[in-house]
Amino acid sequence: MTHEDASSPAASSLARPVSGANLPDGMQRAAAFAPINIALSKYWGKRDYERNLPLAPSVSVCIAELGTLTIVAPNLDLDGNVMLINDKPADQKALVRVGRVMRSVRALAGTEVRAGVRAVNTVPTAQGLASSASAFAALARAATAAYGVGLDDGALSGIARLGSGSACRSVHGGFVLWQRGERDDGSDSLAEQIATPEDWPLRAVIVHIGEGPKKTPSGEGMRLSADTSPFFSAFIDTCFRDVPECLGAIASRDFERLGEVSEANCLAMHATMLATRPGLIYWQAATVEVMHTVRRLRAVGVAAFFTIDAGPSVVVLCEAGAVDGVCTAIGGIPGVVKLTRTRVGGGAHLVPHG
Ligand code: 2P0
């Protein structure tokens, strides 16, 4: 088990340039960092699988420092996009998702020029730590800058969403609402910031728990739950009640109320997953032990609550004074491989690159 302070790694040190020369005016290589986000009221169900349009709104917080650094280099010599993720060529599934984002950016820029893309994650992939959210938010931010497309953050969130639904929530920092929207084209299914990190400087402890058997990817899991889980429509109804509850708790900085609704929504989503056929069991034994530990701490007055996405790792949100006690209590649990102390942070932003 290792402890890590998330403020130590400099994301910019991960950047290395990829090629791109003789570009048309307005195009240039650009780099962006985007954070992971963790939902307090979850997204688990789509009304459109191509555009990643949700059946219900969701609310999240961005997690400082952990995320993806992406460089986009338009290149006249390429006849298709090329991409490296953590220095390995992207697989076909990732390229399809990247292609949706890049096509949309090229259409806005009015060009057919393709790009080299290099992405480096500072979070492990596929542990339920939203690496696809940070990846596509960083891609959208870097690609629009690289192609000279100026968009406000709401419109940018719509581009990020094409790669991965939850990515729209990593464009803005702090506390974020992703609207369900009504339109078929998704133009009103955008993310908006509801409070900045400074408005409510909560802390987060990321409890990294190693993978068990291969997990079902989120998109596939959502489809299975929609088709087979007897709790699916009840969960979607729950989200329509939980989102306003989250927004009210955030507006009044009511930690206890936010914890109560967030844990309930997380458990309702996992109940829906568990009742899917075949059952989606994302938890490990350590996941359950962390949940019990957080509740025991809370019972003796520690301001902390947990939430879990589609994987075994747990995020514990807490007030500043609770961080040490949370880490001490959780650090010794077998199966917990690392704790990262971090906080609610900012959204996707351009970074200098060499
Ligand atoms: C969330 N998750 O609200 C929920 C909770 C996982 C559990 O958003 O298919 O990777 O790319 O739109 O965004 C994970 O879903 O799925 C997710 P796609 P995504 O954070």
Side-chain angles (χ1 to χ4, degrees):
M1 227 283 303
T2 56
H3 288 257
E4 177 182 280
D5 184 336
S7 61
S8 53
S12 59
S13 69
L14 297 169
R16 285 210 301 274
V18 285
S19 65
N22 305 319
L23 291 168
D25 281 352
M27 281 192 212
Q28 58 184 335
R29 197 168 60 210
F33 178 81
I36 60 170
N37 72 73
I38 185 85
L40 303 172
S41 185
K42 309 285 190 186
Y43 153 54
W44 195 257
K46 304 191 199 206
R47 61 186 174 91
D48 182 320
Y49 284 84
E50 277 297 303
R51 297 183 177 89
N52 293 327
L53 301 179
L55 279 165
S58 56
V59 175
S60 62
V61 286
C62 276
I63 301 294
E65 309 291 344
L66 299 180
T68 306
L69 179 71
T70 296
I71 304 175
V72 175
N75 188 327
L76 293 170
D77 298 332
L78 294 174
D79 50 16
N81 295 314
V82 293
M83 182 167 193
L84 292 176
I85 303 175
N86 294 337
D87 289 328
K88 295 197 186 91
D91 65 22
Q92 196 51 36
K93 274 188 185 164
L95 282 174
V96 167
R97 276 144 53 93
V98 168
R100 279 192 221 139
V101 171
M102 297 304 287
R103 250 193 313 283
S104 156
V105 173
R106 284 201 308 275
L108 289 167
T111 181
E112 284 303 315
V113 174
R114 303 302 208 267
V117 180
R118 181 189 178 94
V120 179
N121 286 325
T122 64
V123 278
T125 48
Q127 278 193 12
L129 284 171
S131 60
S132 70
S134 56
F136 286 102
L139 178 67
R141 179 72 83 197
T144 48
Y147 283 80
V149 174
L151 295 176
D152 65 28
D153 282 359
L156 191 67
S157 77
I159 306 270
R161 192 201 67 231
L162 296 172
S164 187
S166 56
C168 70
R169 300 185 313 228
S170 282
V171 167
H172 308 272
F175 298 76
V176 176
L177 166 66
W178 175 16
Q179 297 280 10
R180 175 196 191 275
E182 298 302 322
R183 295 186 203 135
D184 289 344
D185 68 1
S187 55
D188 56 352
S189 182
L190 304 176
E192 62 193 77
Q193 186 180 59
I194 50 177
T196 68
E198 295 75 29
D199 288 334
W200 202 8
L202 292 183
R203 304 300 172 90
V205 177
I206 314 297
V207 185
H208 302 260
I209 295 169
E211 276 293 275
K214 190 170 163 29
K215 293 290 175 277
T216 309
S218 292
E220 198 181 318
M222 288 184 208
R223 201 187 281 271
L224 276 175
S225 291
D227 289 347
T228 66
S229 177
F231 304 150
F232 182 76
S233 63
F235 173 67
I236 298 299
D237 293 345
T238 299
C239 291
F240 279 97
R241 290 190 296 273
D242 288 349
V243 163
E245 184 80 15
C246 279
L247 297 180
I250 293 164
S252 56
R253 315 282 186 267
D254 185 337
F255 186 84
E256 195 179 329
R257 188 170 161 212
L258 187 64
E260 202 275 326
V261 63
S262 299
E263 284 192 3
N265 185 273
C266 164
L267 293 172
M269 179 184 73
H270 281 275
T272 307
M273 292 164 158
L274 290 166
T276 296
R277 294 173 74 161
L280 303 171
I281 309 172
Y282 288 107
W283 299 344
Q284 296 289 314
T287 312
V288 179
E289 194 50 42
V290 171
M291 288 191 267
H292 286 306
T293 304
V294 169
R295 289 194 158 182
R296 273 198 295 273
L297 289 169
R298 201 162 58 239
V300 295
V302 176
F305 67 85
F306 64 77
T307 187
I308 304 152
D309 278 351
S313 295
V314 182
V315 176
V316 181
L317 273 298
C318 44
E319 292 182 343
V323 174
D324 286 344
V326 166
C327 289
T328 303
I330 287 173
I333 294 173
V336 172
V337 291
K338 188 167 86 171
L339 296 180
T340 305
R341 294 165 181 243
T342 182
R343 63 198 148 77
V344 175
H349 56 276
L350 294 174
V351 295
H353 56 91

